[in-house]
Amino acid sequence: MLDCLTLIWTFFKVGILTFGGGYAMLPMLQREIVEKKGWATEEELLSYYAIGQCTPGVIAVNTATFIGAKQKGALGGFLATFGIVLPSLMIITVIAALLRSFAEYAAVQHALAGIRVAVVVLVAFSVWKLMRAGVKDGFGWCVFLLAFLVSAFLGLSPVVVVVVSALLGLLAGTLRERRAKP
């Protein structure tokens, strides 16, 4: 049986070792949740992430809540959420106390510039892994390209993009089932 402290500690590590928000946390979530713990498959993690993006709140927190709830019900959802937000609460409290004193230093600005570049790399790597897991056929590529173009050029809400993609998936699945019936 999954230990409550293991659930908190796992998400605490994800929260404390990952900078850059929800998208940057995805590689760490994949490593900890899919590869090390086996609490979810890559497809499940992708689904949790997609749903987490459509629901109010922070994507990484929503995803942690879904995974925790899958493991230990409502208590697991609470514990995973607590574990993933605790490092941020601790760090932001320290930063808020010190930022005014150190923000103008060149070394701090350079460090933040380096962190931003690393976050871009982590996000790109996550997109690559998610694309391999989620885009499996010609239909998937069409939805991927359409969602990308709509997001890039029309600036629609991610919720609209995900809902339209879900409707396209339902339509395609229904058409496939009708064709398969004799």
Side-chain angles (χ1 to χ4, degrees):
M1 179 175 234
L2 180 65
D3 180 15
C4 292
L5 290 178
T6 302
L7 193 61
I8 293 171
W9 178 244
T10 299
F11 285 100
F12 183 86
K13 288 189 305 184
V14 171
I16 202 162
L17 296 175
T18 315
F19 295 90
Y23 294 111
M25 286 185 174
L26 190 55
M28 185 75 157
L29 283 171
Q30 285 172 319
R31 189 176 312 109
E32 288 293 321
I33 304 307
V34 175
E35 297 169 16
K36 288 185 178 178
K37 302 286 189 222
W39 292 344
T41 64
E42 280 200 25
E43 289 79 16
E44 287 174 323
L45 182 60
L46 181 60
S47 296
Y48 295 147
Y49 218 67
I51 294 168
Q53 188 169 14
C54 295
T55 54
V58 180
I59 297 168
V61 173
N62 293 347
T63 303
T65 304
F66 293 141
I67 294 167
K70 178 186 176 194
Q71 297 304 309
K72 293 203 67 80
L75 176 63
F78 174 79
L79 295 174
T81 301
F82 176 73
I84 206 160
V85 300
L86 184 59
S88 296
L89 292 174
M90 293 166 41
I91 292 168
I92 202 68
T93 301
V94 171
I95 289 174
L98 300 176
L99 188 60
R100 286 187 152 194
S101 303
F102 297 104
E104 67 274 355
Y105 289 120
V108 172
Q109 293 173 1
H110 296 316
L112 291 173
I115 290 170
R116 285 191 297 268
V117 171
V119 167
V120 170
V121 170
L122 293 172
V123 170
F125 181 70
S126 296
V127 168
W128 173 252
K129 284 189 84 171
L130 287 172
M131 190 171 65
R132 287 189 348 209
V135 181
K136 298 181 180 204
D137 56 15
F139 170 76
W141 278 106
C142 290
V143 173
F144 173 83
L145 291 172
L146 178 65
F148 178 80
L149 293 172
V150 165
S151 297
F153 297 110
L154 297 181
L156 291 178
S157 164
V159 173
V160 173
V161 174
V162 171
V163 168
V164 169
S165 297
L167 292 174
L168 289 172
L170 285 171
L171 178 63
T174 302
L175 292 174
R176 284 183 190 142
E177 287 175 2
R178 285 188 183 168
R179 282 192 217 141
K181 288 183 182 177

